Amino acid sequence: MKVQLENITLAYGDAVAIKDLSIDIADGESLVLLGKSGCGKTSTMRCVAGLETPLSGRITIGDTVVFDSDRRVNVPPNKRNVGMVFQSYAVWPHRTIFDNVAFSLRQKKLPKAEIRARVTEVLDMVGLAEFAGRGASLLSGGQMQRVALARSLVMRPSVLLLDEPLSNLDARLRDRLRVELREIQQRMGLTCVYVTHDQSEALALADRIALMQNGRIVQIDRPEKIYDAPFSASIADFLGVSNIFPCTRVASRENLSVLGLTGHDVEVLSRSLPTEAGAAPPRVCIRPEDIRLATEPLPEGTNNWLGRVEVVSFQGSYVRYRVGLKGGPELDALVPRHGSALLPVGTPVWATAEPAAVQVLPAEVPA
């Protein structure tokens, strides 16, 4: 079911959490609200659920207006047919898995046969059917998260809201449950709003990502679009670009911008154009995986910086190097192993990057 937020503003006292936010979520779409703590993503989701009351704006779920400040409409949470999975599992330890999931249906006084059928269906969906009679106190963290998800799904909500539901789990379990969540969402055609500060989680679960900063959406697009073309250096930094440096334009050379890194004796070639004069100083942004290390410089027209390996961090199929450039800053390089030996600390290397891989971005998205 589609969801529409129009000009939503929410404040806690003098602190404005959401500023005139508008967004349309399509029927069956998985939208991820991504951002740092305090950016307003959870507050936005809680407004959809009816757990927060905005100062102004309008919220529509399907064809039903559930909040309208002008008309003084505010449908209570239990009437919005919205399911919510919290960061804390909120599973009753003294009840069985079946009883935890069936609780809300029993509150609605549904027939026992229907309750059993619906609970069995969702437990099978989340892979817990064989544990239906097990006490919740005997569950692992991943199983409890599945119970919390099943408890929301059994109500057959119009919209499913998930507030960082995997943050308490270990890394391998998080990776597995991301795939399972995505599979369930796509199979059921659920409209989902997912809140997280984990960019890997957002990329894995989203049809679209809405990246939030300071109570507003600064970029919204498909995951691959945001990953490939962030609007600002602060967004690139949040998405894992660790090589970000202020720069000034020095010259042009064969359709390339020649940029000087502020405070360093290093030039960078880029196919991007820096921001116009008078704007905040632009930033050079280079992803670690776009930097290669070599013993000889590449042909002219490519970035070649002489440096020295300062730090080596083995990461399985990749090795992360920190390279101190001669007359310049330190660069992070994420290099595939491909069976090659690790470069020891102190090794002289050429760090190289194609000009097309060098983005020149404003520091922030303009208000």
Side-chain angles (χ1 to χ4, degrees):
M1 193 167 287
K2 66 180 181 180
V3 180
Q4 186 176 39
L5 286 76
E6 303 171 73
N7 307 113
I8 297 297
T9 296
L10 174 71
Y12 302 106
D14 295 331
V16 178
I18 307 172
K19 303 173 184 176
D20 196 31
L21 183 145
S22 296
I23 187 169
D24 289 342
I25 306 168
D27 182 24
E29 180 180 24
S30 176
L31 178 82
V32 174
L33 300 177
L34 175 66
K36 297 179 180 178
S37 296
C39 70
K41 57 188 186 295
T42 296
S43 295
T44 301
M45 188 181 68
R46 288 173 64 86
C47 287
V48 175
L51 301 176
E52 301 289 352
T53 303
L55 295 176
S56 61
R58 174 184 166 112
I59 300 172
T60 306
I61 299 177
D63 296 323
T64 303
V65 176
V66 296
F67 177 81
D68 190 325
S69 58
D70 292 338
R71 294 166 48 200
R72 297 186 178 180
V73 173
N74 190 11
V75 177
N78 62 315
K79 301 291 186 182
R80 296 192 183 193
N81 194 26
V82 168
M84 191 159 182
V85 181
F86 295 93
Q87 184 175 356
S88 59
Y89 311 128
V91 172
W92 286 297
H94 63 288
R95 297 179 186 270
T96 65
I97 292 176
F98 187 96
D99 289 337
N100 265 279
V101 177
F103 180 81
S104 56
L105 301 181
R106 287 171 177 159
Q107 292 296 106
K108 294 180 70 173
K109 302 188 185 307
L110 296 182
K112 288 184 179 181
E114 182 178 351
I115 292 173
R116 178 161 295 279
R118 285 171 62 167
V119 172
T120 301
E121 178 187 14
V122 296
L123 288 181
D124 183 61
M125 190 181 303
V126 300
L128 289 176
E130 62 183 296
F131 304 114
R134 178 175 293 185
S137 61
L138 303 176
L139 301 180
S140 67
Q143 288 171 329
M144 282 196 284
Q145 189 58 73
R146 287 186 174 93
V147 173
L149 177 61
R151 192 172 49 200
S152 291
L153 293 176
V154 80
M155 295 299 294
R156 298 176 180 170
S158 301
V159 181
L160 183 62
L161 310 176
L162 302 106
D163 186 8
E164 304 203 49
L166 307 182
S167 60
N168 294 330
L169 305 177
D170 64 76
R172 283 183 62 84
L173 186 56
R174 266 203 315 271
D175 288 343
R176 191 166 76 244
L177 287 185
R178 282 174 195 162
V179 176
E180 292 179 8
L181 274 174
R182 184 62 165 154
E183 180 187 4
I184 290 170
Q185 183 266 327
Q186 291 179 326
R187 188 166 75 240
M188 297 183 67
L190 276 172
T191 303
C192 285
V193 180
Y194 193 104
V195 164
T196 185
H197 62 271
D198 185 324
Q199 57 113 347
S200 297
E201 206 161 277
L203 295 171
L205 290 168
D207 292 310
R208 282 191 304 162
I209 294 173
L211 208 147
M212 296 187 68
Q213 292 177 344
N214 302 316
R216 65 192 182 105
I217 293 173
V218 292
Q219 186 170 358
I220 180 168
D221 212 325
R222 299 195 308 274
E224 67 274 19
K225 290 286 188 180
I226 288 185
Y227 184 86
D228 291 337
F231 284 173
S232 72
S234 64
I235 294 174
D237 177 55
F238 191 75
L239 294 176
V241 179
S242 53
N243 301 307
I244 299 178
F245 311 103
C247 66
T248 55
R249 188 174 185 181
V250 176
S252 296
R253 184 190 307 161
E254 299 177 355
N255 297 321
L256 298 176
S257 297
V258 183
L259 307 160
L261 300 188
T262 305
H264 300 286
D265 187 22
V266 170
E267 288 188 348
V268 179
L269 303 178
S270 174
R271 296 200 182 279
S272 298
L273 293 176
T275 52
E276 298 178 2
R283 302 288 194 271
V284 160
C285 302
I286 315 171
R287 289 190 172 278
E289 57 267 34
D290 289 329
I291 293 177
R292 290 170 288 171
L293 302 182
T295 55
E296 298 290 339
L298 295 184
E300 192 171 342
T302 300
N303 287 295
N304 292 287
W305 307 293
L306 182 61
R308 175 182 181 274
V309 174
E310 302 290 349
V311 179
V312 181
S313 176
F314 176 70
Q315 298 180 3
S317 58
Y318 286 85
V319 182
R320 183 176 289 271
Y321 293 97
R322 182 165 296 169
V323 178
L325 301 186
K326 183 179 179 180
E330 291 185 331
L331 287 179
D332 278 341
L334 193 62
V335 180
R337 283 192 68 202
H338 293 317
S340 59
L342 272 64
L343 299 173
V345 171
T347 303
V349 292
W350 287 92
T352 70
E354 294 293 335
V358 177
Q359 295 178 305
V360 186
L361 302 174
E364 301 287 349
V365 176

